[in-house]
Amino acid sequence: MTAAEHDNNAGLSPAAQVTITGRNVEVPEHFQERVNSKLAKIEKLDPTLTFFNVELKHERNPRREAHAESIQITATGKGHLARAEAKEDSFYAALEAAVDKLERSLRKVKVRREISRSGHRAPKSTGQVAAELATEAAEAREAAPGKYDVDPYEGQFDDFEPGQVVRSKLHPNTPMSVDDALSEMELVGHDFYLFIDEETQRPSVVYRRHAFDYGLIALAPEGEVEAAE
C-alpha cells in the first residue's frame, strides 16, 4: 500500500460492530485503525455483515517463527458466517493475507448467488467466470501455505496421543439447498460442508474435487443405495 492509499484509507471503519482481541499480545491503536480500514472495504462486498471478530495470536514456538503471528477474522451476517485465517512473520502481513482470503470467499459466493438468482444464466460469460476463478485459485495457492505445511492444532494441546478426537462441534440442522451449502462452504473456507438437503431431507455433504468441481454425498437406506448402484 502506498502512502497516498494509506492516507485515503485512514479513519475508515465499517458500520458493523468490530471486536479485536489478542492472545499473548497487546493490540496497539494504530493496528486497530488498520484493521478497521480493511474491514470497511470487506463490508462493501456484503452489506448484510453485522459483526466482525478479529483475533490475534502470537506463537511462542521459535520453530514457527516464520508463521509466528496469526490472525483469524470471523464475519457474521444475516444467516451466514465467513471466516479466514492467516499465519505470517508479522501481524501486518497476516492481516493482508487473511483479508485477501475473506475477500475471495465473499466474491465467489456473490457470483454464485448472482448465477442462482438468474436461473443459472450467468450475468457474465462462462469464459469470464472461469478466468476469474482460475486467477483466484492461482492467487490462493501463492498466498497460502500448502495443505500439509501447517498443523491447525499446533500449540492447542500440550500432551495428547495421536488418533484421538480433539474437537467436536454442533451445527444447526436447518434444511438448505445444495447451492446454499456450497456457498456456506466457501464462506467458512472449508473443503466440505455437512447439511440437510431440503429437497431430499437427507443428511448430505458437499466437498471440493479437482479444479472447480464439487462432489455430493448423501445418506440413504441400504436398499435404495443397492438399487442405485
Side-chain angles (χ1 to χ4, degrees), residues 28-48:
E29 184 176 350
H30 61 83
F31 189 80
Q32 295 183 37
E33 293 176 355
R34 174 68 69 88
V35 170
N36 281 320
S37 67
K38 292 292 184 180
L39 296 184
K41 296 172 63 179
I42 289 294
E43 189 179 51
K44 293 180 180 179
L45 292 173
D46 187 349
T48 69

Side-chain angles (χ1 to χ4, degrees), residues 34-43 45 52 54 71-73 83-86 91-107:
R34 174 68 69 88
V35 170
N36 281 320
S37 67
K38 292 292 184 180
L39 296 184
K41 296 172 63 179
I42 289 294
E43 189 179 51
L45 292 173
F52 289 100
V54 182
I71 289 182
Q72 179 174 278
I73 303 174
R83 181 180 292 117
E85 182 177 8
F91 283 119
Y92 283 96
L95 175 63
E96 294 289 339
V99 167
D100 285 347
K101 290 179 181 179
L102 192 60
E103 183 176 355
R104 284 195 296 270
S105 294
L106 291 173
R107 288 189 184 279

